[in-house]
């Protein structure tokens, strides 16, 4: 029998969590995914360890979701990052918190997270079909018809969780936007967000070095976070976050020792004046970084004249890096833009235009920083889209999943 109460298209974090909540609410549920396995993009997050959420408070979440995070207040009142942590813990997954509140499975393996989600869907009686690309969706009367190249299903409630358009090799090619347009929804302009920065300087010398908690700035935009030098330029959270404010053609500034003032550095050089400059800088910086700063100066600290000392300190505190561009949408971590939130009920994530049609995850016009914030948005919107919400007089009222303080 090919009829389900709820069908979910797209088996990323939003789709898997929607399948769990829909099944939890007793709905006969089908999750359809075109890849062989669920959660391909999720598996690649956090360097392959799965940055499953962030353990910050509500203010931290809002700061971590610069792209329309405020739309999620109602979602987070029903299911938030702490519910994600409780969910995994109650389902046997040990989690650990790393720097900047990033939460990972204690195993450091994405499979731990994906298997827990798969196991829960099965336990609650949900059906999952992988290796199946949906090619069309229609609605007539109260029923949606969902088609792959060789199969057809029907349902009363359809949840679209097909993701954005970044990293299309993971499966997110924008099909959900086509479904939205088919149903006359507005899809806002799709742009790259959290994009690695392209630079000509200084990546050749520094490629592969990662620095913790450095400050990258452009005008009033000042970001202190981890940074990675790559073969094309800069990546890591500091560069990804600054990418919202640059296009290419700007000069940004890197402070590799933000915890030290210029005076602290001058004092440090004086205390180590008998050392070679390289050995002195190696106390504060990774070896190749120390070599990079030392290369154009005299060998010994004590040989530096006042102007050279000032120039060295300026380089360490304000290294000028010209940005030549940023990675395209396909090679950026996140898609900015998506299904317009004006047409979505924030309490239920149901379309205001088509009863029964819901959207969750990155297909919506919501974008967040890496660090667990996109995944939090995907899992929480997935839970809410899959939940049952009953009509009262007028707008939908959401059933509280649990009492909030
Ligand atoms: C390299 C990388 C690292 C990242 N790191 C982080 C991080 O550290 N922290 C963070 O918060 N975010 C991170 N992100 C972003 C995060 O992974 C996404 O925001 C999140 O996965 C979105 O979840 P989703 O369920 O909405 O969509 P997706 O995870 O993209 O899942 C959508 C699914 O829908 C399926 N699908 C699409 N079309 C069809 C169709 N026609 N038929 C059937 N199935 C279909 C796709 O195959 C895919 O599996 C990272 C992204 C990348 C690319």
């Amino acid at each position: 029998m090919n009829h389900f109460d709820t069908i979910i298209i797209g088996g990323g974090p939003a789709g898997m969590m929607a399948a769990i909540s829909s099944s939890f609410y007793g709905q006969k549920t089908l999750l359809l995914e075109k890849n062989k396995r669920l959660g391909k993009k999720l598996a690649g997050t956090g360097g392959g360890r799965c940055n499953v959420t962030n353990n910050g408070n509500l203010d931290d979440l809002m700061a971590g979701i610069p792209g329309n995070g405020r739309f999620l207040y109602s979602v987070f009142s029903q299911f938030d990052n702490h519910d994600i942590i409780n969910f995994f813990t109650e389902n046997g997954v040990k989690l650990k918190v790393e720097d900047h509140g990033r939460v990972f499975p204690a195993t450091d393996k994405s499979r731990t997270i994906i298997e827990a989600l798969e196991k829960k869907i099965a336990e609650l009686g949900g059906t999952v079909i992988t290796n199946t690309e949906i090619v069309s969706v229609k609605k007539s009367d109260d029923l949606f018809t969902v088609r792959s190249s060789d199969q057809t299903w029907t349902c009363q409630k359809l949840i679209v969780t097909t993701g954005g358009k970044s990293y299309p090799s993971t499966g997110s090619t924008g099909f959900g936007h086509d479904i939205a347009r088919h149903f006359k929804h507005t899809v806002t302009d799709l742009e790259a967000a959290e994009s690695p920065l392209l630079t000509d300087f200084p990546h050749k010398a520094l490629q592969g070095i990662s620095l913790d908690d450095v400050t990258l700035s452009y005008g009033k935009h000042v970001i202190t976070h981890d940074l990675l030098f790559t073969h094309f330029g800069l990546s890591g959270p500091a560069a990804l976050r600054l990418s919202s404010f640059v296009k290419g053609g700007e000069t940004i500034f890197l402070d590799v020792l933000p915890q030290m003032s210029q005076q602290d550095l001058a004092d440090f050089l004086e205390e180590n004046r008998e050392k070679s400059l390289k050995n002195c800088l190696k106390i504060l910086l990774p070896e190749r970084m120390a070599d990079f700063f030392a290369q154009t100066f005299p060998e010994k600290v004590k040989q530096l004249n006042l102007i050279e000392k000032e120039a060295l300190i300026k380089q360490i505190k304000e290294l000028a890096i010209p940005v030549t561009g940023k990675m395209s949408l396909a090679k950026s971590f996140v898609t900015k833009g998506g299904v317009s939130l004006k047409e979505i009920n924030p309490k239920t994530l149901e379309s205001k235009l088509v009863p029964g049609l819901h959207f969750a995850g990155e297909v919506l016009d919501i974008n967040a920083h890496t660090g667990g914030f996109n995944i939090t948005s995907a899992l929480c919107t997935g839970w809410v889209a899959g939940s049952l919400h009953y009509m009262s007089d007028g707008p939908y009222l959401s059933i509280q999943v649990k009492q909030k303080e």
Side-chain angles (χ1 to χ4, degrees):
M1 161 72 159
N2 274 346
H3 180 76
F4 288 81
D5 299 323
T6 303
I7 290 181
I8 301 150
I9 306 176
M16 287 189 274
M17 198 47 114
I20 289 169
S21 73
S22 172
S23 305
F24 173 82
Y25 278 99
Q27 300 295 288
K28 188 179 175 213
T29 301
L30 171 64
L31 172 61
L32 293 160
E33 165 58 48
K34 71 176 167 188
N35 291 327
K36 270 193 211 129
R37 302 175 89 163
L38 301 178
K40 188 168 177 186
K41 185 176 279 185
L42 180 64
T45 65
R49 299 185 302 136
C50 193
N51 180 190
V52 65
T53 189
N54 188 286
N55 84 337
N57 58 30
L58 188 59
D59 288 343
D60 299 325
L61 288 191
M62 288 302 150
I65 312 177
N68 293 324
R70 297 172 76 82
F71 177 82
L72 295 174
Y73 274 121
S74 177
V75 165
F76 289 150
S77 75
Q78 298 173 60
F79 197 87
D80 67 10
N81 52 335
H82 298 292
D83 295 308
I84 294 174
I85 292 172
N86 290 341
F87 170 85
F88 283 107
T89 309
E90 282 162 16
N91 285 285
V93 177
K94 231 175 141 188
L95 299 173
K96 59 176 174 172
V97 182
E98 294 192 356
D99 58 321
H100 301 280
R102 296 179 307 151
V103 180
F104 293 90
T107 57
D108 279 333
K109 290 197 172 77
S110 293
R111 287 244 55 85
T112 309
I113 295 295
I114 294 165
E115 278 167 14
L117 292 164
E118 286 172 335
K119 194 167 153 221
K120 196 69 192 175
I121 299 171
E123 212 174 281
L124 293 167
T127 304
V128 176
I129 303 180
T130 56
N131 239 339
T132 300
E133 177 167 8
I134 299 312
V135 293
S136 80
V137 171
K138 287 197 181 114
K139 187 177 187 198
S140 52
D141 301 325
D142 282 343
L143 277 192
F144 291 95
T145 304
V146 176
R147 285 203 171 86
S148 71
S149 58
D150 57 356
Q151 290 182 78
T152 302
W153 301 267
T154 54
C155 60
Q156 278 99 355
K157 175 171 174 177
L158 181 68
I159 308 179
V160 179
T161 52
T162 45
K165 273 193 106 169
S166 316
Y167 276 71
S169 57
T170 63
S172 51
T173 49
F175 180 66
H177 304 128
D178 296 341
I179 299 178
R181 289 188 197 100
H182 169 80
F183 286 115
K184 310 281 180 246
H185 270 275
T186 309
V187 177
T188 62
D189 290 345
L190 303 178
E191 292 170 36
E194 304 293 302
S195 315
L197 301 178
L198 308 177
T199 68
D200 288 332
F201 166 85
H203 60 267
K204 298 227 164 48
L206 301 177
Q207 181 176 335
I209 295 179
S210 70
L211 300 171
D212 292 342
D213 292 319
V214 295
T215 296
L216 210 52
S217 57
Y218 175 62
K220 64 179 182 7
H221 307 291
V222 180
I223 291 158
T224 301
H225 216 305
D226 306 344
L227 183 72
L228 177 67
F229 293 93
T230 68
H231 62 286
F232 54 77
L234 301 174
S235 191
L240 300 181
R241 289 180 188 201
L242 202 69
S243 70
S244 317
F245 311 112
V246 294
K247 287 189 172 75
E250 306 86 354
T251 297
I252 60 173
F253 293 92
L254 170 63
D255 179 351
V256 293
L257 290 172
Q259 69 284 13
M260 289 179 89
S261 67
Q262 300 213 0
Q263 188 56 50
D264 292 341
L265 261 174
D267 295 345
F268 180 81
L269 290 172
E270 196 49 40
E271 284 156 22
N272 292 280
R273 64 189 316 279
E274 294 303 326
K275 289 198 171 76
S276 77
L277 182 56
K278 277 185 190 173
N279 284 342
C280 167
L281 294 179
K282 267 184 221 165
I283 301 170
L284 302 172
L285 295 166
E287 184 166 345
R288 279 171 54 217
M289 196 86 221
D291 290 348
F292 171 78
F293 283 122
Q295 66 192 347
T296 53
F297 292 99
E299 196 192 333
K300 296 242 177 214
V301 178
K302 66 181 174 196
Q303 293 167 330
L304 295 178
N305 62 33
L306 198 63
I307 293 172
E308 286 167 334
K309 231 185 233 174
E310 277 176 6
L312 172 66
I313 292 172
K314 194 166 160 59
Q315 275 203 27
I316 293 174
K317 297 291 293 171
E318 278 176 53
L319 183 67
I321 304 178
V323 176
T324 54
K326 45 185 192 176
M327 284 293 188
S328 63
L329 173 56
K331 287 183 181 161
S332 293
F333 286 40
V334 177
T335 303
K336 184 177 175 192
V339 178
S340 171
L341 302 175
K342 289 188 190 131
E343 297 157 0
I344 302 294
N345 181 332
K347 294 194 175 95
T348 59
L349 303 179
E350 185 174 26
S351 158
K352 289 179 184 170
L353 313 182
V354 182
L357 177 65
H358 295 65
F359 294 91
E362 209 181 310
V363 70
L364 288 166
D365 181 12
I366 295 172
N367 60 283
H369 293 315
T370 56
F373 297 105
N374 293 286
I375 296 164
T376 299
S377 167
L379 289 170
C380 296
T381 55
W383 175 273
V384 168
S387 302
L388 274 194
H389 301 84
Y390 295 115
M391 281 284 252
S392 70
D393 52 340
Y396 273 63
L397 276 186
S398 58
I399 305 172
Q400 294 297 304
V401 177
K402 61 198 163 27
Q403 281 304 114
K404 289 267 175 189
E405 281 164 29

